[in-house]
PDB file of all heavy atoms in Angstrom:
ATOM      1  N   GLN B  10     -25.736 -12.837  11.477  1.00 96.00           N
ATOM      2  CA  GLN B  10     -25.955 -11.568  10.756  1.00 96.00           C
ATOM      3  C   GLN B  10     -27.301 -11.823  10.131  1.00 96.00           C
ATOM      4  O   GLN B  10     -27.696 -12.901   9.586  1.00 96.00           O
ATOM      5  CB  GLN B  10     -24.917 -11.374   9.627  1.00 96.00           C
ATOM      6  CG  GLN B  10     -23.651 -10.998  10.107  1.00 96.00           C
ATOM      7  CD  GLN B  10     -22.686 -10.756   9.013  1.00 96.00           C
ATOM      8  OE1 GLN B  10     -22.807  -9.585   8.390  1.00 96.00           O
ATOM      9  NE2 GLN B  10     -21.721 -11.530   8.770  1.00 96.00           N
ATOM     10  N   VAL B  11     -28.163 -10.802  10.100  1.00 97.00           N
ATOM     11  CA  VAL B  11     -29.535 -10.795   9.334  1.00 97.00           C
ATOM     12  C   VAL B  11     -29.542  -9.481   8.525  1.00 97.00           C
ATOM     13  O   VAL B  11     -29.678  -8.427   8.955  1.00 97.00           O
ATOM     14  CB  VAL B  11     -30.692 -10.865  10.403  1.00 97.00           C
ATOM     15  CG1 VAL B  11     -31.883 -10.627   9.690  1.00 97.00           C
ATOM     16  CG2 VAL B  11     -30.603 -12.095  11.224  1.00 97.00           C
ATOM     17  N   PRO B  12     -29.473  -9.699   7.163  1.00 97.00           N
ATOM     18  CA  PRO B  12     -29.926  -8.602   6.315  1.00 97.00           C
ATOM     19  C   PRO B  12     -31.334  -8.564   5.855  1.00 97.00           C
ATOM     20  O   PRO B  12     -31.915  -9.667   5.713  1.00 97.00           O
ATOM     21  CB  PRO B  12     -29.050  -8.922   4.988  1.00 97.00           C
ATOM     22  CG  PRO B  12     -28.902 -10.448   5.005  1.00 97.00           C
ATOM     23  CD  PRO B  12     -29.037 -10.829   6.378  1.00 97.00           C
ATOM     24  N   VAL B  13     -31.908  -7.329   5.921  1.00 97.00           N
ATOM     25  CA  VAL B  13     -33.353  -7.190   5.571  1.00 97.00           C
ATOM     26  C   VAL B  13     -33.537  -5.784   4.882  1.00 97.00           C
ATOM     27  O   VAL B  13     -32.888  -4.810   5.199  1.00 97.00           O
ATOM     28  CB  VAL B  13     -34.109  -7.362   6.867  1.00 97.00           C
ATOM     29  CG1 VAL B  13     -33.758  -6.258   7.928  1.00 97.00           C
ATOM     30  CG2 VAL B  13     -35.558  -7.375   6.545  1.00 97.00           C
ATOM     31  N   PHE B  14     -34.434  -5.806   3.980  1.00 97.00           N
ATOM     32  CA  PHE B  14     -34.794  -4.648   3.371  1.00 97.00           C
ATOM     33  C   PHE B  14     -35.636  -3.736   4.270  1.00 97.00           C
ATOM     34  O   PHE B  14     -36.416  -4.122   5.126  1.00 97.00           O
ATOM     35  CB  PHE B  14     -35.418  -4.865   2.083  1.00 97.00           C
ATOM     36  CG  PHE B  14     -34.565  -5.327   0.936  1.00 97.00           C
ATOM     37  CD1 PHE B  14     -34.479  -6.605   0.527  1.00 97.00           C
ATOM     38  CD2 PHE B  14     -33.521  -4.422   0.315  1.00 97.00           C
ATOM     39  CE1 PHE B  14     -33.671  -7.089  -0.420  1.00 97.00           C
ATOM     40  CE2 PHE B  14     -32.706  -4.848  -0.630  1.00 97.00           C
ATOM     41  CZ  PHE B  14     -32.693  -6.165  -0.899  1.00 97.00           C
ATOM     42  N   GLU B  15     -35.404  -2.396   4.007  1.00 97.00           N
ATOM     43  CA  GLU B  15     -36.231  -1.385   4.909  1.00 97.00           C
ATOM     44  C   GLU B  15     -37.711  -1.702   4.559  1.00 97.00           C
ATOM     45  O   GLU B  15     -38.230  -2.104   3.593  1.00 97.00           O
ATOM     46  CB  GLU B  15     -35.898  -0.025   4.302  1.00 97.00           C
ATOM     47  CG  GLU B  15     -36.409   1.086   5.206  1.00 97.00           C
ATOM     48  CD  GLU B  15     -35.876   2.522   4.803  1.00 97.00           C
ATOM     49  OE1 GLU B  15     -35.362   2.618   3.631  1.00 97.00           O
ATOM     50  OE2 GLU B  15     -35.890   3.371   5.622  1.00 97.00           O
ATOM     51  N   GLU B  16     -38.469  -1.445   5.711  1.00 97.00           N
ATOM     52  CA  GLU B  16     -39.821  -1.762   5.864  1.00 97.00           C
ATOM     53  C   GLU B  16     -40.325  -3.237   5.814  1.00 97.00           C
ATOM     54  O   GLU B  16     -41.446  -3.461   5.866  1.00 97.00           O
ATOM     55  CB  GLU B  16     -40.728  -0.852   4.696  1.00 97.00           C
ATOM     56  CG  GLU B  16     -40.401   0.571   4.691  1.00 97.00           C
ATOM     57  CD  GLU B  16     -41.300   1.416   3.808  1.00 97.00           C
ATOM     58  OE1 GLU B  16     -42.047   0.707   2.951  1.00 97.00           O
ATOM     59  OE2 GLU B  16     -41.146   2.626   3.762  1.00 97.00           O
ATOM     60  N   ALA B  17     -39.416  -4.145   5.725  1.00 98.00           N
ATOM     61  CA  ALA B  17     -39.708  -5.551   5.816  1.00 98.00           C
ATOM     62  C   ALA B  17     -39.760  -5.916   7.293  1.00 98.00           C
ATOM     63  O   ALA B  17     -39.247  -5.281   8.070  1.00 98.00           O
ATOM     64  CB  ALA B  17     -38.750  -6.317   5.014  1.00 98.00           C
ATOM     65  N   PRO B  18     -40.471  -7.045   7.584  1.00 98.00           N
ATOM     66  CA  PRO B  18     -40.456  -7.520   8.933  1.00 98.00           C
ATOM     67  C   PRO B  18     -39.130  -8.379   9.267  1.00 98.00           C
ATOM     68  O   PRO B  18     -38.473  -8.643   8.382  1.00 98.00           O
ATOM     69  CB  PRO B  18     -41.693  -8.506   8.937  1.00 98.00           C
ATOM     70  CG  PRO B  18     -41.727  -8.917   7.469  1.00 98.00           C
ATOM     71  CD  PRO B  18     -41.244  -7.808   6.681  1.00 98.00           C
ATOM     72  N   VAL B  19     -38.850  -8.450  10.528  1.00 98.00           N
ATOM     73  CA  VAL B  19     -37.682  -9.140  10.967  1.00 98.00           C
ATOM     74  C   VAL B  19     -37.878  -9.896  12.278  1.00 98.00           C
ATOM     75  O   VAL B  19     -38.693  -9.502  13.192  1.00 98.00           O
ATOM     76  CB  VAL B  19     -36.452  -8.225  11.113  1.00 98.00           C
ATOM     77  CG1 VAL B  19     -36.633  -7.227  12.350  1.00 98.00           C
ATOM     78  CG2 VAL B  19     -35.126  -8.913  11.136  1.00 98.00           C
ATOM     79  N   GLU B  20     -37.282 -11.079  12.448  1.00 97.00           N
ATOM     80  CA  GLU B  20     -37.269 -11.764  13.604  1.00 97.00           C
ATOM     81  C   GLU B  20     -35.869 -12.172  13.943  1.00 97.00           C
ATOM     82  O   GLU B  20     -35.190 -12.751  13.165  1.00 97.00           O
ATOM     83  CB  GLU B  20     -38.114 -13.101  13.558  1.00 97.00           C
ATOM     84  CG  GLU B  20     -38.139 -13.875  14.849  1.00 97.00           C
ATOM     85  CD  GLU B  20     -39.071 -15.009  14.823  1.00 97.00           C
ATOM     86  OE1 GLU B  20     -38.527 -15.953  14.236  1.00 97.00           O
ATOM     87  OE2 GLU B  20     -40.108 -14.999  15.258  1.00 97.00           O
ATOM     88  N   LEU B  21     -35.376 -11.875  15.145  1.00 97.00           N
ATOM     89  CA  LEU B  21     -34.052 -12.259  15.616  1.00 97.00           C
ATOM     90  C   LEU B  21     -34.277 -13.344  16.773  1.00 97.00           C
ATOM     91  O   LEU B  21     -35.014 -13.148  17.709  1.00 97.00           O
ATOM     92  CB  LEU B  21     -33.315 -11.031  16.212  1.00 97.00           C
ATOM     93  CG  LEU B  21     -33.192  -9.927  15.273  1.00 97.00           C
ATOM     94  CD1 LEU B  21     -32.177  -8.711  15.997  1.00 97.00           C
ATOM     95  CD2 LEU B  21     -32.633 -10.147  14.025  1.00 97.00           C
ATOM     96  N   ARG B  22     -33.669 -14.491  16.484  1.00 97.00           N
ATOM     97  CA  ARG B  22     -33.959 -15.542  17.305  1.00 97.00           C
ATOM     98  C   ARG B  22     -33.039 -15.633  18.628  1.00 97.00           C
ATOM     99  O   ARG B  22     -31.865 -15.395  18.520  1.00 97.00           O
ATOM    100  CB  ARG B  22     -33.872 -16.831  16.560  1.00 97.00           C
ATOM    101  CG  ARG B  22     -34.942 -16.947  15.497  1.00 97.00           C
ATOM    102  CD  ARG B  22     -34.774 -18.232  14.719  1.00 97.00           C
ATOM    103  NE  ARG B  22     -33.560 -18.283  14.078  1.00 97.00           N
ATOM    104  CZ  ARG B  22     -33.139 -19.471  13.350  1.00 97.00           C
ATOM    105  NH1 ARG B  22     -33.771 -20.550  13.533  1.00 97.00           N
ATOM    106  NH2 ARG B  22     -31.947 -19.314  12.773  1.00 97.00           N
ATOM    107  N   CYS B  23     -33.701 -16.055  19.786  1.00 97.00           N
ATOM    108  CA  CYS B  23     -32.940 -16.290  20.968  1.00 97.00           C
ATOM    109  C   CYS B  23     -33.492 -17.540  21.766  1.00 97.00           C
ATOM    110  O   CYS B  23     -34.764 -17.454  21.980  1.00 97.00           O
ATOM    111  CB  CYS B  23     -33.048 -15.060  21.882  1.00 97.00           C
ATOM    112  SG  CYS B  23     -32.288 -15.268  23.557  1.00 97.00           S
ATOM    113  N   ASN B  24     -32.688 -18.422  21.921  1.00 97.00           N
ATOM    114  CA  ASN B  24     -33.012 -19.549  22.816  1.00 97.00           C
ATOM    115  C   ASN B  24     -32.136 -19.648  24.023  1.00 97.00           C
ATOM    116  O   ASN B  24     -30.929 -19.311  23.960  1.00 97.00           O
ATOM    117  CB  ASN B  24     -32.983 -20.824  22.033  1.00 97.00           C
ATOM    118  CG  ASN B  24     -34.113 -20.934  20.973  1.00 97.00           C
ATOM    119  OD1 ASN B  24     -33.851 -20.418  19.910  1.00 97.00           O
ATOM    120  ND2 ASN B  24     -35.122 -21.448  21.379  1.00 97.00           N
ATOM    121  N   TYR B  25     -32.622 -20.041  25.170  1.00 95.00           N
ATOM    122  CA  TYR B  25     -31.844 -20.056  26.410  1.00 95.00           C
ATOM    123  C   TYR B  25     -31.977 -21.501  27.009  1.00 95.00           C
ATOM    124  O   TYR B  25     -32.839 -22.204  26.746  1.00 95.00           O
ATOM    125  CB  TYR B  25     -32.321 -19.013  27.285  1.00 95.00           C
ATOM    126  CG  TYR B  25     -33.663 -19.219  27.910  1.00 95.00           C
ATOM    127  CD1 TYR B  25     -33.786 -19.868  29.178  1.00 95.00           C
ATOM    128  CD2 TYR B  25     -34.768 -18.759  27.323  1.00 95.00           C
ATOM    129  CE1 TYR B  25     -35.033 -20.108  29.669  1.00 95.00           C
ATOM    130  CE2 TYR B  25     -36.039 -18.992  27.882  1.00 95.00           C
ATOM    131  CZ  TYR B  25     -36.176 -19.569  29.104  1.00 95.00           C
ATOM    132  OH  TYR B  25     -37.392 -19.853  29.619  1.00 95.00           O
ATOM    133  N   SER B  26     -31.078 -21.767  27.849  1.00 93.00           N
ATOM    134  CA  SER B  26     -31.012 -22.973  28.654  1.00 93.00           C
ATOM    135  C   SER B  26     -30.833 -22.576  30.183  1.00 93.00           C
ATOM    136  O   SER B  26     -29.849 -21.877  30.395  1.00 93.00           O
ATOM    137  CB  SER B  26     -30.062 -23.890  28.077  1.00 93.00           C
ATOM    138  OG  SER B  26     -29.912 -25.084  28.944  1.00 93.00           O
ATOM    139  N   SER B  27     -31.578 -23.106  30.959  1.00 89.00           N
ATOM    140  CA  SER B  27     -31.535 -22.823  32.409  1.00 89.00           C
ATOM    141  C   SER B  27     -32.265 -23.823  33.235  1.00 89.00           C
ATOM    142  O   SER B  27     -33.228 -24.291  32.938  1.00 89.00           O
ATOM    143  CB  SER B  27     -31.947 -21.340  32.752  1.00 89.00           C
ATOM    144  OG  SER B  27     -31.740 -21.088  34.048  1.00 89.00           O
ATOM    145  N   SER B  28     -31.578 -24.197  34.380  1.00 85.00           N
ATOM    146  CA  SER B  28     -32.220 -25.070  35.283  1.00 85.00           C
ATOM    147  C   SER B  28     -33.112 -24.354  36.237  1.00 85.00           C
ATOM    148  O   SER B  28     -33.858 -24.985  37.009  1.00 85.00           O
ATOM    149  CB  SER B  28     -31.184 -25.973  35.944  1.00 85.00           C
ATOM    150  OG  SER B  28     -30.348 -24.993  36.771  1.00 85.00           O
TER     151      SER B  28
END
Side-chain angles (χ1 to χ4, degrees):
Chain B
Q10 294 187 69
V11 174
V13 62
F14 285 104
E15 194 173 17
E16 298 183 6
V19 70
E20 179 179 80
L21 307 183
R22 295 178 293 168
C23 173
N24 288 87
Y25 70 93
S26 174
S27 177
S28 57

